Amino acid sequence: CLAGLLRPDAGRIACREAVWFDAERGVCLAPERRRLGYVFQDVRLFPHLSVRSNMLFGRRFRGPSGVSFEDVVGLLGLGRLLHRTPSDLSGGEKQRVAVGRALLACPELLLMDEPLTGLDRGKREEIMAYVKAIPERFGVPVLYVTHNPALADLGQGGQGRVTHSDAERRFLADRVLNLEDGKLTEY
């Protein structure tokens, strides 16, 4: 619904000053007008383009303010990968490229939908550190969607076994919204 891929039956969706959906007023902005950066679970990079070209594709949709290509490359540690194609990248590298492409579109909000699924523990922790830096470094809030996958030992300070999603939210989140069966159970 946030991305505009599904239309809610009722309610209102706004980001900062922009109203994206308002059932009462009949407002429903098209996905491409929402200034939303979307990082999918499967990275969806263009296989025929280099890392540089994949990232610069995001600039085609940039808003009035700009995020520097060099700053994004620096934050995500992609400098040595710019000439490579997605088939020559690891899963974590591909995910960093996808994050960079989304940031270069200068979104009002970065929506990340299960971006760490399929990555090993080390890569998950590496990507989480990059994601955690985005709001402060670029002024872009991140809405990070995660579910409850299999147990993994990602505990902090000897807390033991916790789910991926618990570890991710404990590390990344300022606020947590928990939805169960379409109802808000934690805020």
Side-chain angles (χ1 to χ4, degrees):
C1 291
L2 286 171
L5 304 176
L6 295 174
R7 185 182 180 118
D9 294 330
R12 182 174 190 269
I13 300 171
C15 181
R16 297 185 181 178
E17 303 300 317
V19 176
W20 292 349
F21 177 82
D22 189 325
E24 281 186 23
R25 293 179 29 213
V27 174
C28 186
L29 283 182
E32 65 273 12
R33 295 190 56 216
R34 293 186 182 213
R35 298 222 24 232
L36 175 78
Y38 200 146
V39 179
F40 296 89
Q41 179 177 346
D42 54 345
V43 293
R44 300 184 187 192
L45 299 176
F46 299 110
H48 63 290
L49 297 179
S50 68
V51 166
R52 175 185 298 279
S53 296
N54 264 287
M55 290 179 61
L56 289 174
F57 187 84
R59 290 182 105 169
R60 296 175 60 188
F61 306 101
R62 113 179 350 205
S65 66
V67 172
S68 154
F69 178 80
E70 293 76 18
D71 285 348
V72 172
V73 168
L75 172 73
L76 299 173
L78 295 171
R80 63 180 180 78
L81 305 176
L82 293 175
H83 67 283
R84 293 168 62 184
T85 59
S87 63
D88 296 326
L89 302 176
S90 71
E93 291 167 340
K94 289 176 185 176
Q95 201 58 269
R96 292 185 348 237
V97 173
V99 170
R101 181 177 59 195
L103 279 173
L104 285 168
C106 298
E108 291 290 321
L109 173 70
L110 184 60
L111 175 58
M112 303 187 83
D113 185 7
E114 293 278 355
L116 306 182
T117 299
L119 298 179
D120 64 39
R121 176 185 173 178
K123 292 298 177 193
R124 276 194 314 270
E125 290 174 353
E126 177 184 325
I127 301 295
M128 285 189 332
Y130 293 123
V131 171
K132 188 171 180 71
I134 289 170
E136 184 176 325
R137 179 100 177 250
F138 298 109
V140 176
V142 176
L143 180 62
Y144 188 95
V145 176
T146 186
H147 297 93
N148 192 11
L151 293 176
D153 188 10
L154 287 176
Q156 298 175 357
Q159 293 175 348
R161 294 177 68 81
V162 297
T163 66
H164 295 174
S165 58
D166 287 340
E168 290 167 16
R169 79 181 194 173
R170 192 171 33 243
F171 181 75
L172 294 173
D174 292 331
R175 286 181 271 174
V176 173
L177 297 168
N178 191 45
L179 298 173
E180 293 180 22
D181 297 322
K183 294 185 174 44
L184 187 63
T185 62
E186 177 184 354
Y187 177 74

